[in-house]
Amino acid sequence: METPPGSARSASPEAEIGHRLEDLWNDVQVEPLLSPSEKLNSCFDGVPVSSFPSVPSQVIEIPSDASLATAVEILSKHKILSAPVRNVNSPEDASWIDRGLAAALGSVTLGTPAPSKASNAPAAAGGISDALGPADSGPEAAESMGGSFFENLASSEIYKSTKVEDISGSFRWAPFLALQSSDSLLTMLLLLSKYRMKSLPVVDLGEGKIDNIITQSSVVHMLAECVGLHWFENWGTKRLFELGLPIMKPSKLVKVREDEPVLRAFQLMRTKGIGGLPVIDDGGKKPVGNISIRDVQYLLTAPEIYKDYRSITAKNFLTAVRKHLEEHGETSPMLLGVITCRRDDTIKDVILRLDAHKIHRIYVVDEEGLVEGVITLRDIISKLVHEPRHYFGDFFDGVVPLPQNSRV
């Protein structure tokens, strides 16, 4: 049963934020000149990021002098895709802008272009299409190598000798981008949407440590916990088409056919700078699956999939991964098939679906099940708030590059 407006679904920490926003929402209702969007902006600007629930475990950092092999081992051990990189060469009294090399190592391991030849560094694991070779080169001697791609890559001397700091120039934000606990939720939401950050460390300048890491997924979970509150219902009951979703036109949607090599999917993700794409049936219209950048791990660690990496099609890759998950008793969105929605669904419907299945994108289909577009976590956050003119001021000093449409 849906909770009636005015009461959140639970007493979770996320719902507590919702109640704080509710109080602010009630206060701004007396401002007749403010639009609903401006009222939401005002509410989120009035709550500090220090109120956002902390990650349940210790924040994992990677020292800048760690080798790529060590870095990937740390990520694999803790089952995470990203981690802050700590500059071990910075002095004790250095600011966090100097201590941090990058906000997300995940962009190195799962999607960073190969470093320059001068650095003698290899392509990172995320440049998997480069590291593995052309998708159309046909079956090779991979099976005779034995083990997994990860084992073969991690055993190479260049992979073990190249340090994280050697490829720091390939990070999206250089040298570091982080929030302070006094920054507002509005700042956080804008960075996670318009400025395309997938996660943001929250640093304690006094203690010189990272207090929290806030992700797009955790924000969408917070929104799901606020269902029933007036401020959320005022926005959440709007239909997708009313909010201009999906943003991308159908003709611009990046996709692969089920009979194409799966390496083609990972190549497209890298070249287009996206985190996932739909697998389309032979007719080229109906989605039959989803492949995300996270699924690179199955090429890295599953020998039975790795041995056919050059020839396996997207369809057979999905089948092989599902079999691997079932045999190992693991849970994954890959087992759910394709999660879809319609243009006349509400944004609340989509948020609850994304949060329940712990997925990062949902595909929009028409009455016949033909794919019309995709909605990502970033798309949802971008429709919640907007950036006021000159909002960031000098926030980005020392941080490059800025989006071309920045209004700072």
Side-chain angles (χ1 to χ4, degrees):
M1 177 184 296
E2 183 174 305
T3 306
S7 59
R9 297 184 303 161
S10 70
S12 67
E14 292 82 4
E16 288 302 314
I17 295 179
H19 284 294
R20 291 185 65 175
L21 292 167
E22 183 82 343
D23 292 338
L24 294 170
W25 176 260
N26 291 333
D27 291 340
V28 299
Q29 296 311 305
V30 298
E31 300 291 342
L33 298 181
L34 293 181
S35 67
S37 176
E38 289 170 329
K39 289 177 181 178
L40 276 178
N41 258 32
S42 177
C43 293
F44 284 107
D45 201 33
V47 180
V49 295
S50 59
S51 64
F52 203 89
S54 299
V55 291
S57 57
Q58 178 186 1
V59 174
I60 305 301
E61 295 182 0
I62 294 178
S64 60
D65 59 353
S67 68
L68 292 185
T70 299
V72 173
E73 182 180 353
I74 292 173
L75 294 174
S76 177
K77 175 183 177 181
H78 294 281
K79 299 184 184 300
I80 54 178
L81 290 175
S82 63
V85 179
R86 176 173 46 82
N87 187 353
V88 298
N89 298 314
S90 63
E92 287 296 323
D93 60 350
S95 65
W96 262 100
I97 199 74
D98 296 318
R99 289 189 190 181
L101 283 178
L105 180 61
S107 58
V108 180
T109 58
L110 292 177
T112 299
S116 65
K117 293 181 180 178
S119 70
N120 292 321
I128 190 168
S129 56
D130 290 339
L132 293 176
D136 57 356
S137 57
E140 300 290 342
E143 186 172 8
S144 65
M145 295 170 66
S148 67
F149 172 79
F150 175 78
E151 291 170 347
N152 288 305
L153 180 63
S155 65
S156 69
E157 280 304 314
I158 195 169
Y159 194 70
K160 289 188 289 186
S161 62
T162 301
K163 297 180 179 180
V164 171
E165 61 189 0
D166 294 334
I167 60 172
S168 61
S170 61
F171 295 123
R172 172 178 293 166
W173 296 97
F176 191 66
L177 179 61
L179 292 168
Q180 297 180 37
S181 58
S182 59
D183 287 323
S184 72
L185 293 187
L186 177 59
T187 298
M188 174 196 77
L189 293 172
L190 290 172
L191 292 175
L192 290 173
S193 55
K194 179 176 179 179
Y195 291 88
R196 307 181 68 85
M197 300 299 296
K198 292 186 180 297
S199 61
L200 289 167
V202 180
V203 300
D204 183 326
L205 296 181
E207 295 291 330
K209 65 183 180 67
I210 294 177
D211 279 341
N212 198 7
I213 292 183
I214 301 174
T215 65
Q216 293 177 344
S217 297
S218 62
V219 169
V220 169
H221 176 63
M222 182 270 289
L223 293 175
E225 290 293 300
C226 294
V227 168
L229 295 171
H230 290 95
W231 70 265
F232 179 88
E233 296 294 328
N234 183 75
W235 172 76
T237 52
K238 288 182 170 61
R239 302 193 180 279
L240 298 181
F241 69 86
E242 294 177 311
L243 292 169
L245 293 172
I247 296 173
M248 185 180 297
K249 295 180 179 179
S251 60
K252 299 293 185 180
L253 181 65
V254 181
K255 52 187 178 292
V256 293
R257 296 193 315 275
E258 61 183 355
D259 59 348
E260 289 187 276
V262 72
L263 286 189
R264 171 66 175 162
F266 293 119
Q267 287 172 335
L268 284 171
M269 281 184 247
R270 179 187 168 189
T271 57
K272 301 295 184 181
I274 57 177
L277 45 72
V279 178
I280 307 298
D281 65 8
D282 288 338
K285 295 182 179 179
K286 291 188 177 182
V288 297
N290 173 76
I291 296 178
S292 75
I293 196 67
R294 292 169 177 260
D295 300 327
V296 166
Q297 63 180 299
Y298 302 112
L299 286 181
L300 297 179
T301 59
E304 68 274 20
I305 300 176
Y306 166 61
K307 67 184 179 66
D308 294 323
Y309 72 85
R310 292 187 186 273
S311 60
I312 190 169
T313 63
K315 178 181 179 180
N316 291 340
F317 175 77
L318 291 172
T319 301
V321 170
R322 288 165 184 159
K323 180 180 179 182
H324 174 84
L325 291 169
E326 291 170 352
E327 289 177 348
H328 289 79
E330 299 178 24
T331 58
S332 168
M334 289 281 278
L335 295 172
L336 301 174
V338 188
I339 307 299
T340 63
C341 65
R342 300 274 292 276
R343 285 180 181 272
D344 58 356
D345 285 342
T346 66
I347 193 73
K348 175 170 68 174
D349 294 334
V350 171
I351 288 172
L352 292 175
R353 217 167 296 170
L354 289 168
D355 184 55
H357 296 302
K358 305 304 176 189
I359 54 178
H360 291 183
R361 64 192 52 78
I362 188 169
Y363 295 105
V364 184
V365 297
D366 62 14
E367 296 83 353
E368 298 177 1
L370 308 183
V371 65
E372 290 189 319
V374 61
I375 296 174
T376 66
L377 303 181
R378 186 171 74 87
D379 293 335
I380 290 173
I381 299 171
S382 71
K383 296 299 180 179
L384 182 63
V385 294
H386 66 274
E387 180 183 354
R389 185 173 297 277
H390 307 305
Y391 177 77
F392 278 104
D394 60 359
F395 183 89
F396 293 108
D397 283 2
V399 181
V400 293
L402 290 176
Q404 292 182 355
N405 63 342
S406 171
R407 301 175 66 185
V408 298

